[in-house]
Amino acid sequence: MTENKLETIDTPAVLVREAILVRNLNDMASFARELGVNLRPHIKSHKIPRLARIQVNQGAVGIAVAKLDEAEAMIAGGIKDIFVAYPLVTPTKIMRMLRLAERADISVAADSQEGIDALASGAAWAETTVGVVLEIDTGLKRCGVKPNGEALALARAIQEKDELEFLGIMTHGGHSYLASDPEKVQEIGRQEGEIMVRLARRLEKEGLPCSRVSVGSTPTAKTAGMIKGITEIRPGNYVFNDLTQVSLGVAMEEDCSLTALTRVVSRPARDRCVVDAGSKTLGMDRGVHGTSIFEGYGKVKGHPEAVVSSLSEEHGVLSLPPESDIKVGDLLEIIPNRSSPLVNLARTVHIIRNEEPWEEWEVSALGSN
Ligand SMILES: Cc1ncc(COP(=O)(O)O)c(C=O)c1O
């Protein structure tokens, strides 16, 4: 029997297979390069400054973040161009963002008059200007205004503020995660791109030029990005992928670079065993945007007979057929339903090269605000 070099890693732990990671990074970077569209990866998916630097070195124009802690960690890690893809509406957040803007080129999203007023007041107080991107709802029904007169009015409201610079429009086609089949995912992506380009043309006609027309989620980045007039894509999850992307037909299991490494600590009955990865390692996601599409909490590699049927904080219970040979002390790997919660819960990820632990990369901005 060959020696398992992963035995030296204490469990539970998060593993990232370098070869798959590099393939995923190269694939998206070359797609953007060949198409001539800017790539601005959302780093909420990995929160790893080292990985963000690799993305920028590969040609990304900058990064997107959801939280200011993420922005802070990435600036400390040397990233210079950051888009806060989240509405900042309080003076506390806006003053924090403006302090960060002294150290990096920061742009922010807005989708309300209140948000625009708050950004303008903050910028006036700090005697500076801020680049603002208007968020548009292309179907997710989360943040963002409809691509109609409402968008026109808010774009104008941004342009009219001396302290704000209207940069353009952004959307996140996250409703692709609710698509019933791969064709529907593609259709949502095309619509995402087309709606945005149509709106950008209309705004331009009204004297509101959009230097940034930004779209993207991992499922839609490529289809939306193909629409002529889109300037930027913002996928995040593609670096790791997960069972959600597999279920959508966006990736295959071989494209999932991230797994949880876990040890079997108990087999108290023939029909179950217990591993040391619970909800504090795997998260509780059964789908995206509150859906519950998965039977369990991940897939055990090499053990199709096992179902990760329930989680408490430090215990994962696997339902097994009685004949399963899984035993106490076994090392197992679980491909997660969603990869980003695992990273958010881990201090480091172990990079695996040629099936051996190679390096440990620090995750920044855990549980951030
Ligand atoms: C605003 C925004 N942009 C981009 C992304 C990246 O999408 P994905 O995680 O599908 O790669 C997200 C993810 O939630 C997001 O919220």
Side-chain angles (χ1 to χ4, degrees), residues 148-210:
N148 53 25
E150 225 183 315
L152 182 62
L154 284 186
R156 198 161 274 139
I158 297 168
Q159 195 192 42
E160 281 169 1
K161 298 277 187 195
D162 290 340
E163 305 81 5
L164 306 182
E165 184 190 354
F166 176 67
L167 294 180
I169 51 178
M170 56 112 10
T171 193
H172 170 56
H175 48 307
S176 55
Y177 282 105
L178 311 174
S180 45
D181 55 63
E183 286 71 39
K184 187 78 190 152
V185 173
Q186 301 228 335
E187 190 188 318
I188 289 172
R190 273 194 301 276
Q191 281 170 0
E192 180 186 358
E194 283 165 4
I195 292 169
M196 292 296 276
V197 170
R198 221 177 298 131
L199 177 62
R201 296 281 170 270
R202 183 171 170 202
L203 293 175
E204 273 152 19
K205 267 199 204 124
E206 300 281 344
L208 293 150
C210 298

Side-chain angles (χ1 to χ4, degrees), residues 44-232:
K44 58 176 264 177
S45 312
H46 62 71
K47 298 189 178 211
I48 299 172
R50 170 116 180 231
L51 194 34
R53 282 199 297 276
I54 294 172
Q55 289 174 309
V56 169
N57 289 340
Q58 277 192 320
V61 289
I63 59 164
V65 301
K67 298 289 186 185
L68 293 179
D69 279 355
E70 293 169 357
E72 247 154 41
M74 294 299 148
I75 292 172
I79 303 298
K80 300 268 182 288
D81 182 333
I82 297 178
F83 171 47
V84 182
Y86 200 93
L88 305 181
V89 299
T90 62
T92 312
K93 289 245 188 270
I94 290 168
M95 295 319 285
R96 243 182 104 192
M97 178 274 291
L98 289 168
R99 277 195 296 278
L100 293 177
E102 292 166 11
R103 296 159 54 203
D105 183 359
I106 299 206
S107 48
V108 294
D111 76 345
S112 68
Q113 186 63 54
E114 293 89 335
I116 292 165
D117 292 343
L119 285 169
S121 304
W125 176 259
E127 297 184 53
T128 186
T129 54
V130 183
V132 180
V133 185
L134 179 64
E135 180 160 4
I136 306 299
D137 178 16
T138 48
L140 175 58
K141 296 191 169 67
R142 199 175 64 179
C143 287
V145 288
K146 289 265 170 297
N148 53 25
E150 225 183 315
L152 182 62
L154 284 186
R156 198 161 274 139
I158 297 168
Q159 195 192 42
E160 281 169 1
K161 298 277 187 195
D162 290 340
E163 305 81 5
L164 306 182
E165 184 190 354
F166 176 67
L167 294 180
I169 51 178
M170 56 112 10
T171 193
H172 170 56
H175 48 307
S176 55
Y177 282 105
L178 311 174
S180 45
D181 55 63
E183 286 71 39
K184 187 78 190 152
V185 173
Q186 301 228 335
E187 190 188 318
I188 289 172
R190 273 194 301 276
Q191 281 170 0
E192 180 186 358
E194 283 165 4
I195 292 169
M196 292 296 276
V197 170
R198 221 177 298 131
L199 177 62
R201 296 281 170 270
R202 183 171 170 202
L203 293 175
E204 273 152 19
K205 267 199 204 124
E206 300 281 344
L208 293 150
C210 298
S211 58
R212 211 184 282 183
V213 185
S214 178
V215 294
S217 63
T218 292
T220 63
K222 289 185 177 172
T223 38
M226 297 267 267
I227 305 297
K228 202 166 170 297
I230 294 299
T231 68
E232 180 180 277

